[in-house]
Each structure stands twice: as C-alpha cells, then as structure tokens.
Amino acid sequence: MDADNWHPLGHTQDGPALLGCDALDPYFLPPPALDPDPAINAVLPFLGWVLTLARPHIVALLPDRPAPRLFLDERARHLRLPMTCHSTAAHMRPGTCDLLWVALPPTGTEPPAPDQLAPLLSPRGALLLYGLNTATGHHAWSRWLAGRPTATLNLGGGLTVALPEPTPGTGHPHPLAGLCGALNGTQGDRVAANLASRFAAIGAHWATRRTLADTRAELAEVRAALSRARLDAMELRLERNRASTADTPTATTPSEHKTPPPPAPPPPPPLWTRLSRRLAGPSHPVTMPPAAPARARLPVRTVLFISGEPATPGTIYRVDRNAAACRKAGYDTRSRACAAIGPDDMLWADLVVLWRVEYSGHVDTLIEMARARGTLLAFDADDLVFEPALARGDLIDGIRISPAPVARIERMYDDMQRTLRRCDLGLATTDTLADRMRPFTPLTVTVPNTCDQPMLDRSRHAARRRAATPPDGLVRIGYATGSRTHQRDFARALPGLLAVMARRPDVRLVLFREPGGGRPLLLTEEFPTLHARAAQIEWRDMVRLDALPDELARLDISIAPLETGNPFCEAKSELKFFEAALAGTCTVASPTAPFRAAIRNGVTGLLADSDAEWEDALIRLVDDPALRARMARDALHTVLWEYGPQRQAALMALTIACLAGGQTTARAGAQTLARGPARARAIPAILDSETLLHHDQLHNAAVTVVITAYQYADHVIEALDSVRHQTLAPLDLIVVDDASTDDTVALVSGWMARHGQRFNRLLLLRARQNAGLGGARNIGMAAAETPYVMQLDADNRLLPDACARLLDAIQREDAGFAYPIIRRFGRADGVMSDLAWHPARLVGGNIVDAMAMVAKWAWAAAGGYYVRRNAMGWEDYDLWCSLAELGIAGTHVPEILAEYRVHDAAMTDNVTERAAHKQRVVALLRTRHPWIRLTAPDARSRE
C-alpha cells in the first residue's frame, strides 16, 4: 500500500482524516519561527504531525527551544487543542506527560537519565528522543528503548519515537501505534520509505528556508554597504564640483595686488578608473589604461554573458548554450553571475549580454563602465518580464501562485525594463517576444532556445533504450512542467484529457512531483475532476535538466498547453516541442504563435485549443502508434537544425556582425534579410520500409555507415567487408535494400549473422517498394542514431582509415559534410572528388561524390535527399547545393580513403547519363537551384 493511501488512524474514531499528500500541505507553510539550528528545523514537520495524531494535553520540551515551542503552540491553536507546555521536569507530576521531547546533548555532555524522565509519561504518552546519531554516552537510553514499541527516522540528528508498554486489557490502541508500525514496515517497505522520504523532504525544505533567511540577512548587509559606498561617491562628486567652482578666477582691477595662484589640484581620476575602484573595493586596486575618448563601436572579439538568475535552468538555456554558440562562431566568451562581475570582466568584453538582469546600483556601474570603454550591451529575455503592467495574477499564473507580493514583481519587471532601455540590442527567444521588446530597443533579433550536443546525445540514447524495452500495453501522456506556474495552462487541456482517459483505460497521465515523492508540481487540489482518475495518474520525480530526456523518452505523447490569447503565454518559447522531439516523442500543443511557427500541424505535431480539439488530437494519437512514430520522426528531423547548436552559432555570428557598423553591418544585414530565419528546407521524405534485422548493444558510436543496395548481390559483400575492417570503433552499420529481386538480402543477412558483433548497432532494412537512390538513402539516414553518417553504395569500398579520418575532419571543422579523394577502379582508373571545398565550385557542376560523411543535422537542414525516381542520379549534388545556400560548409580530406567501382551495371552510365533522363535531372536541379551554370549538361560516359 502506498503512503498516499495509508491512514494511520484508520481504526480510531476521533482522529483527523489524514489522507494522501494534501494532508501534509500545511507543513510546507512557513512556521512561526525557525530555529538557528537547521537540524532542528528538519525535525519540526514530523513533530507537528505527531501532535496532530496524538492530540496531547501536556507536553514537555527538554530542553526548551523557542522555535519548537512556538510551532507546537501554533499547531495546538489550529487544532483547538487545550495544551500545556513545560520546559522542566521538576514542575510535572509522574504519569501525566502525553508527549515528551528529549534532545540529547552533543558530544562531551552528560545526557539526562531515562529513569528520571520516563516515569513522567502517561499511559497514552509518547517519547520523542532526538540526537541519538550525534550524542555520546546514551547507553542507558538504548537499554531503556530495547523491547519497547519504537520507530526511527533519520531526520536531523536522528529521531526515535518510543511508546510505553501496552496496558493489558484496555482494548484501546495507542494513537501513534499505527504510525510506528508503518514506519517499521508493517504496512510494507514502500509505505515506510514514502513516509520517511516525505518528511525528510519537508524537513529539508524548512532547513533550507532557515539558510535562505540567513543568506538574505547577509545580502541586506552587503546591499546596505553598497548603498553607503554609492552615497560616498555621490557626495565626493558634489564636493569636487563645489571646489571646482570656488577655484574659478574672478575679475580684478589693474591696481589690485596679484598673488601667485596656488598649484592646481590634480585632475580627478577618469570615469573608468573611479568605477573600477568602486567595483573592486579598496583591497583590490586596479590599474586601468590611460583615458581615451569613448568609442561608438568596437570590433567584437570577446562576449561576456551575465546571468541575472544564475541558479535557474534559464541560465543553461540562455547563458551557457548561447555562450557555446558564440564560441562555435569564433568568439571568446565568459559566463558570470551578475553579482560576481568585476572590472577585469568589463575591461575584457567587447559585447556584454545581460540575461534577466534587474537594474540596480551595481548594474548601473557596469553599464557606465561599458559606455566608457565603448563596449556594446545586449539585453536577453526568455519571457515577457519587462512590462510592469503585465505583472498581474490574472495574466501570469506564476504570480498567483508565488508568495512574493505583486508590488515586488512589478518592481522587478520595471527594473528589467530599465536595463533593457539602456542596451544597444535586444535578444528574444520568439518573434512574439521580440515584437514586445522593440518599443524599448528597436534593434531586436530573435535567438531561440536551443539544445546542445550533450542533450541531443542523451535524448537519442534514451530513445534507443525505449525502443529496446518491451511495451507494457499502456499509452503515456506526459505533462513535463518544471514549476508550479502553469495551473491555468494545464486547465486548457484537462477536459480533453479526462475524456480520453475515460474512453481509453490504457492511457496514463504522467505528472511530476518534487524528488523523493514530494509535493506535486501541478497543484492537483485545484482540479477536483482529476481525482476520479487518480488510478490512471503516474507520478514521476522531477529530475535535473540534463536527465530530462530520460523522462521524455518514456512518454508516448507530450502535451504543451498554454492560454492562447494571453500575451505572456503567446510569447513563451517552444522548447517543450523540440525537447520532446529529440527524445522521440510527439507533441500536442496549444496554437500560440511560437508553436504555430514551430509545429507543422498534422505533420510534426498537432495543435489543439478547444476541449473538442484536445480530445480529438489525443485520441487520434492514442489509437495510432504508427502516426505517433511518424510525427516524432519528422519532428526530430525538423528540430535537429532549427533548434540545434549549429544554427544557433550561425545566428549569433550574423547578429554580432550586424553590430560592427558601416559596410560590415550593411552586408551582414543584407544576408540576414535575404536568408530569413534559415529554417529547414523541408522535411525529408522517408518512404516505408520493414526491419529485417536489428541489434543494438546500446553503446555510443559517432558514425553510422549506411550502405544502399539494389541488385548488387555480386558486390555488396566487398562493401560490407570494407566496413568491417574500419579502424574506427565503436561503429554502427545500416544496410538498406531497395526492394532487390536478386540474392542481396540473403547474402547480407548471412554476413551479418557471422560478423554482427563487430558493430555497436546493426540494422537491415528493406524498402517496401523500390524507392530510388534518394529514397533509399533517406531511409538509412532516418534510421541512423549517430551524429554522422558515412554514405556507401553497395558497389564501392572504403579504405580502413576512411571513417576515422573523415570523422576527425568533420568534428574539427564542425562541418556539414566531409569527403575524401576517391580512387576509381575496374573499367577505368584515376581519382575523383580531389578538389577542395568551395561553394562557388558547385556552379559548374558537382565536385563531391556521394561517398561522403554527412552530419545528420545538415541532412535534415537541407530537407534530405530529393526523391524523384524519374530524375534520380544527382541527389548528392542537390544536397551540397542546398547546404551551400544555407551557409553550411563542407570540408575536404586530401587523402585517398575510398574506391569507386566503374562497371557496366553502374547506375551512372545505365540511368543518369542517358540523354532523356539527364535532361530531366538537369531541369530539376536548375529549378531547385537557379544559380547553377553546368559545364556538362549533356549526357556523357564517366570513363
């Protein structure tokens, strides 16, 4: 039995009904006073529950502590319980104490003896002995506890609940007997563990509140010191102004006696030096360069990211990941919390990005230092937190839930707007948010939230583990909220959810709670209609951001409800869509502007607003696993580029280039306006296939070799053997048979049975009908789970170092593809793909063979290989042209690493270079890329 359903007073008639998590909610509220010792605070919640269960009339606290006494008095008033609290044993009669709290003294102090205190207990009394884990000399207590009903909790310094020996013949169980039994596991280990972890979580919460209170007090002292320092600076400036006025010479008559003027005082230090001294403090003098006229623009080489909320996940999204994107774009970066910024940081930075930084005296100093040096300033926000008029509980659910006064939140929004107004550039996560930012900073650009490579790697690994897990027959719909600020958002989807749960008993709603089985992040007491479906709710503990992919991969459907029309919600990021897509989970979202831009409705996800739309969308996905898989796959291929680190680096590079001024800004601006948002060209066309063999050791490889085969039984084993002898390990291998009618499948299956253990992941796919070259390659690319894919036709071969050398090059350059020199053999010899990469070389024709290593994100950005069986043959050339148009570079390895077979059955001679067919191919490529000027548009042999 779960602790949520266990009732410790189930056999009594006068106890309160403490059912479920809601019974513990009052203990999350702040107590009247917190003890200076955090360990005591960790015990107070359990003490309050014991008081509620035992309902004592006489209580003793030995020794007395103000915080526990005030807490017990407050609980007694709440319960309307007549209670007397004693602090010394001398004032108590034996056999009268209903609840005796004894705190053993720390090491080196003699503890009180049990034979002096135990007689005070009444027949229905209870002893709470605290400190057994930290005190010494407690052998007498250990002997006294032996044989009595006890229960132990590892809270604070250790807490033991002891009950007196039961009186024979009374027939009345002790009011705490059920609690002790549950803690001792008589109701099951799960009950005991849940109760212990729940009170540990509440106790830790209270102990943290005490630590937070101490920290706030220290912060108040620091702020007071800063205010005094700022006042000193202002008075010093006024005094110098008065002195300067007094030293101004006045007009004199010629007959007046002139005395030599006193030596002029030294000029005041430059603004930069004064600000630096103020920031560094008297013990850290800073030597600054000679004063120079402030510059309007500096060439940006260094970027400083400042976090206004360093302990939140937003710092990862907006500071850490954007700093990584700038480094990828070639800039030096630093990331700092706002309070930790010093003059050295400001002297170093050419561009300062302030994320959610509220205006203050400290921030004013930073801005003045930046202005004095000519440093550019950018304000970054990921929510609509700079319009004080929107700080209302009816618009922002987080304000309604937050204990902070509305006036404090309004002031915070106003301070963020003050920072925004003083910056040169605004950065916003969505176009809607950018539109709201432009009235305060006209130069505003959209830089979305993104994933990083570790998140992508963990997401794909979690998806693979999910695919390897046998299904349990349930369909999980998850709401992965990270905070208690989305009550009204969830309400938009709730009626549709409840209808689906009623119609489909195999549906489970996955919700999250605080770690250790703590309080739900979604306040379920606000949704009484949800209680009837409690059996279909699956609770999961909230995890760190880096572990979120594991939870998302467990889901079949992720929901992202928001209040449409609400200006705050309409500006929110679409990260719930792309994070679920990375983990292989499809999404149903509200049709806010960012979700409408991110989700291709009906293709990469579903949009729903009304109750009926939510019910229809969810029931459609619940009943159609193939549709869920297809949407999740297509969503993944969209977000790999659009929310990946490579596009983010390109966006940051263009954004910073636009700040240089003059012709540089004009050229960068023209490129930005011409390219637009640079989203993925299309969703790759993935034709149907069946899996004939699948083996996954669940290790992490960097490269998959994809072999496409059609009627190549005579050559495919040579291709496979060249892959087996690659020096790179681990390595994945996928073979796609394009509906061959010869022995290709049988030969490949037999070869895999013999040599399959060489590969980390092994997959044999067969197109359900002939897909053509582009279709077969897309099937293999879609099935690959590695960041890079080596394309190999079944009649060609790789040299042993091919994968290792190309991987090194593509990672070093962070390129979209890497290609080697290829040696021809068979009917002709020579080399091909021997020219270095330059996009202009594509104007006259293809210079890169299909035998190349392609980054999966680059393939997705280009929309995959085109699928046109009546114009197939130049799929690789088209891919390189699309990547060039997106500004995605390739890299060349000037070594012979692969071999191209020239033979009579080759597709180039038998299909591509036939006159009528090539005319169709050339026409298609010219339509897709009007800038090409082919030097050989007519059919020719490759000899």
Side-chain angles (χ1 to χ4, degrees):
M1 182 184 297
D2 197 331
D4 288 349
N5 300 316
W6 174 75
H7 182 198
L9 298 181
H11 301 289
T12 65
Q13 298 179 357
D14 56 350
L18 298 178
L19 293 174
C21 299
D22 294 348
L24 302 182
D25 284 352
Y27 304 114
F28 280 95
L29 300 176
L34 286 168
D35 198 273
D37 182 4
I40 293 294
N41 295 320
V43 179
L44 288 182
F46 185 77
L47 177 61
W49 203 31
V50 168
L51 184 80
T52 305
L53 297 178
R55 305 182 72 83
H57 291 273
I58 297 179
V59 175
L61 295 176
L62 305 176
D64 190 14
R65 297 182 74 99
R69 175 184 283 268
L70 286 171
F71 176 60
L72 291 178
D73 288 343
E74 188 275 335
R75 292 302 304 154
R77 285 194 299 272
H78 178 75
L79 296 170
R80 298 181 180 178
L81 177 67
M83 187 185 76
T84 303
C85 191
H86 296 275
S87 58
T88 59
H91 297 90
M92 302 181 63
R93 290 182 294 121
T96 61
C97 184
D98 301 321
L99 183 61
L100 176 60
W101 164 276
V102 178
L104 298 181
T107 302
T109 307
E110 186 67 23
D115 56 359
Q116 298 174 354
L117 300 181
L120 299 176
L121 289 174
S122 68
R124 292 174 62 82
L127 171 72
L128 268 66
L129 188 63
Y130 176 76
L132 278 174
N133 294 350
T134 56
T136 58
H138 53 72
H139 304 293
W141 280 105
S142 299
R143 289 192 299 271
W144 185 84
L145 292 172
R148 285 180 168 80
T150 62
T152 302
L153 276 173
N154 189 24
L155 299 175
L159 183 66
T160 299
V161 183
L163 308 182
E165 295 290 349
T167 303
T170 59
H172 297 290
H174 194 283
L176 298 182
L179 172 62
C180 290
L183 291 173
N184 287 326
T186 59
Q187 302 291 334
D189 291 340
R190 188 179 179 191
V191 172
N194 280 355
L195 286 173
S197 63
R198 183 162 298 154
F199 278 103
I202 304 173
H205 171 70
W206 281 15
T208 303
R209 288 181 65 91
R210 178 67 205 192
T211 304
L212 179 62
D214 294 341
T215 304
R216 284 175 173 168
E218 295 175 3
L219 179 60
E221 294 178 3
V222 172
R223 285 179 171 171
L226 288 174
S227 297
R228 290 192 296 271
R230 189 179 184 191
L231 177 61
D232 292 343
M234 296 172 70
E235 291 184 343
L236 177 62
R237 184 175 61 198
L238 292 174
E239 182 179 347
R240 286 182 173 173
N241 288 342
R242 285 194 296 271
S244 175
T245 304
D247 291 341
T248 302
T250 57
T252 59
T253 61
S255 60
E256 285 184 303
H257 178 69
K258 295 182 180 180
T259 60
L271 175 62
W272 178 265
T273 303
R274 285 180 282 148
L275 292 172
S276 300
R277 289 174 181 171
R278 176 59 58 202
L279 255 186
S283 61
H284 299 85
V286 179
T287 302
M288 305 306 296
R295 291 169 288 177
R297 288 291 185 269
L298 282 173
V300 176
R301 301 174 299 269
T302 55
V303 185
L304 172 64
F305 286 85
I306 299 178
S307 174
E309 299 177 6
T312 63
T315 296
I316 298 174
Y317 287 107
R318 301 307 297 171
V319 175
D320 297 344
R321 291 181 182 173
N322 282 346
C326 282
R327 284 193 297 275
K328 190 182 289 287
Y331 300 96
D332 290 335
T333 66
R334 290 181 185 175
S335 301
R336 298 282 190 272
C338 185
I341 294 296
D344 291 342
D345 295 313
M346 300 304 295
L347 177 63
W348 173 84
D350 299 324
L351 170 64
V352 176
V353 181
L354 302 120
W355 173 71
R356 284 192 179 229
V357 172
E358 301 176 43
Y359 195 83
S360 65
H362 176 66
V363 174
D364 179 74
T365 301
L366 298 180
I367 292 175
E368 289 299 328
M369 292 178 72
R371 294 292 181 226
R373 184 177 179 267
T375 299
L376 293 163
L377 295 168
F379 179 84
D380 183 16
D382 51 355
D383 270 323
L384 193 49
V385 291
F386 45 81
E387 294 189 28
L390 298 181
R392 296 161 31 197
D394 59 329
L395 284 179
I396 304 175
D397 214 29
I399 295 177
R400 180 178 65 89
I401 302 298
S402 172
V406 173
R408 169 67 187 95
I409 297 175
E410 287 180 353
R411 186 165 62 254
M412 178 184 73
Y413 283 19
D414 184 66
D415 287 340
M416 287 199 185
Q417 186 187 114
R418 292 179 67 188
T419 304
L420 168 61
R421 287 180 179 275
R422 299 200 63 182
C423 289
D424 307 290
L425 169 70
L427 302 177
T429 50
T430 66
D431 290 340
T432 308
L433 187 60
D435 292 340
R436 304 293 295 233
M437 194 180 287
R438 284 192 183 92
F440 310 106
T441 299
L443 180 56
T444 296
V445 297
T446 301
V447 178
N449 282 325
T450 62
C451 68
D452 55 13
Q453 195 60 47
M455 181 184 184
L456 175 59
D457 292 341
R458 184 153 184 171
S459 296
R460 299 316 303 158
H461 197 71
R464 287 166 57 197
R465 288 199 309 271
R466 168 69 188 276
T469 303
D472 58 5
L474 300 177
V475 179
R476 289 176 172 83
I477 303 174
Y479 181 49
T481 180
S483 62
R484 293 190 183 95
T485 59
H486 299 286
Q487 299 292 109
R488 286 201 297 264
D489 294 332
F490 179 75
R492 301 300 292 264
L494 182 57
L497 266 172
L498 291 173
V500 171
M501 294 167 76
R503 293 171 60 184
R504 300 293 185 267
D506 58 337
V507 166
R508 294 294 180 269
L509 174 61
V510 180
L511 299 176
F512 289 82
R513 61 191 175 189
E514 293 173 340
R519 196 182 186 204
L521 296 182
L522 186 74
L523 301 180
T524 53
E525 60 266 28
E526 293 192 6
F527 306 107
T529 55
L530 196 58
H531 296 167
R533 294 290 162 190
Q536 290 178 262
I537 298 178
E538 181 180 303
W539 290 100
R540 300 287 295 178
D541 284 354
M542 184 173 65
V543 297
R544 289 164 47 95
L545 182 60
D546 58 358
L548 179 61
D550 300 336
E551 296 298 322
L552 293 175
R554 294 183 67 253
L555 306 177
D556 298 286
I557 305 166
S558 174
I559 60 171
L562 288 170
E563 284 189 284
T564 53
N566 181 319
F568 187 81
C569 295
E570 289 285 349
K572 290 190 72 66
S573 170
E574 59 278 79
L575 62 87
K576 281 186 172 61
F577 163 65
F578 73 74
E579 288 178 339
L582 292 175
T585 301
C586 63
T587 296
V588 182
S590 295
T592 60
F595 277 132
R596 291 198 309 271
I599 297 175
R600 294 160 171 85
N601 191 28
V603 179
T604 61
L606 293 175
L607 300 173
D609 197 14
S610 66
D611 295 348
E613 288 175 353
W614 274 102
E615 181 180 355
D616 291 345
L618 290 173
I619 206 73
R620 180 182 173 191
L621 292 174
V622 167
D623 291 346
D624 195 341
L627 177 63
R628 295 200 302 266
R630 185 166 64 251
M631 280 190 176
R633 179 200 67 198
D634 289 344
L636 170 65
H637 295 160
T638 300
V639 305
L640 280 175
W641 165 251
E642 294 186 359
Y643 301 96
Q646 290 78 18
R647 177 172 178 258
Q648 194 78 342
L651 288 174
M652 294 301 292
L654 275 177
T655 298
I656 295 174
C658 286
L659 302 175
Q663 289 298 319
T664 302
T665 292
R667 287 190 291 268
Q671 184 179 358
T672 302
L673 295 174
R675 287 177 54 186
R679 292 189 177 273
R681 289 297 179 90
I683 300 172
I686 314 299
L687 304 183
D688 289 340
S689 64
E690 57 181 327
T691 302
L692 304 182
L693 185 149
H694 184 202
H695 174 70
D696 194 344
Q697 300 184 41
L698 292 176
H699 300 310
N700 287 323
V703 175
T704 299
V705 177
V706 171
I707 298 179
T708 51
Y710 177 67
Q711 307 293 68
Y712 273 159
D714 292 340
H715 306 301
V716 68
I717 298 303
E718 281 190 68
L720 288 167
D721 214 47
S722 75
V723 178
R724 181 167 70 93
H725 288 97
Q726 289 298 295
T727 58
L728 181 67
L731 186 65
D732 291 2
L733 173 62
I734 296 175
V735 177
V736 180
D737 177 70
D738 195 12
S740 299
T741 58
D742 61 4
D743 293 335
T744 298
V745 169
L747 288 170
V748 172
S749 299
W751 186 91
M752 286 183 169
R754 293 182 183 181
H755 306 294
Q757 291 303 314
R758 157 68 177 88
F759 301 99
N760 167 56
R761 185 167 180 263
L762 192 64
L763 197 59
L764 174 58
L765 302 173
R766 179 182 175 88
R768 295 192 181 277
Q769 59 182 11
N770 185 259
L773 190 54
R777 286 184 179 152
N778 283 345
I779 290 172
M781 289 290 299
E785 287 289 354
T786 56
Y788 305 104
V789 177
M790 182 68 205
Q791 290 289 343
L792 178 63
D793 290 336
D795 54 341
N796 296 329
R797 302 183 304 217
L798 299 177
L799 298 183
D801 288 335
C803 288
R805 297 287 294 118
L806 292 171
L807 175 63
D808 177 70
I810 199 171
Q811 288 182 324
R812 184 176 61 252
E813 302 294 333
D814 197 23
F817 59 98
Y819 62 100
I821 299 175
I822 300 172
R823 178 170 53 222
R824 299 198 296 178
F825 72 101
R827 203 178 65 194
D829 55 13
V831 296
M832 51 196 290
S833 290
D834 55 337
L835 295 177
W837 166 252
H838 193 292
R841 285 197 167 106
L842 295 173
V843 174
N846 192 14
I847 63 166
V848 182
D849 187 75
M851 221 182 316
M853 184 173 289
V854 182
K856 189 164 180 176
W857 60 263
W859 166 82
Y865 295 98
Y866 74 77
V867 179
R868 285 278 298 273
R869 294 187 72 256
N870 68 341
M872 64 180 181
W874 280 7
E875 292 84 354
D876 49 336
Y877 180 32
D878 174 77
L879 184 71
W880 316 140
C881 291
S882 296
L883 295 179
E885 290 163 355
L886 288 168
I888 297 173
T891 185
H892 185 229
V893 178
E895 302 175 36
I896 297 176
L897 297 173
E899 295 178 319
Y900 179 91
R901 187 189 305 268
V902 182
H903 59 104
D904 293 338
M907 194 193 80
T908 301
D909 291 341
N910 289 286
V911 178
T912 308
E913 292 298 332
R914 296 299 179 97
H917 186 87
K918 188 166 185 179
Q919 288 178 1
R920 292 193 294 270
V921 174
V922 170
L924 175 65
L925 267 290
R926 283 174 171 168
T927 300
R928 291 169 64 89
H929 312 289
W931 46 269
I932 63 175
R933 300 290 184 268
L934 299 176
T935 57
D938 300 324
R940 61 176 181 172
S941 172
R942 208 164 199 180
E943 292 187 15

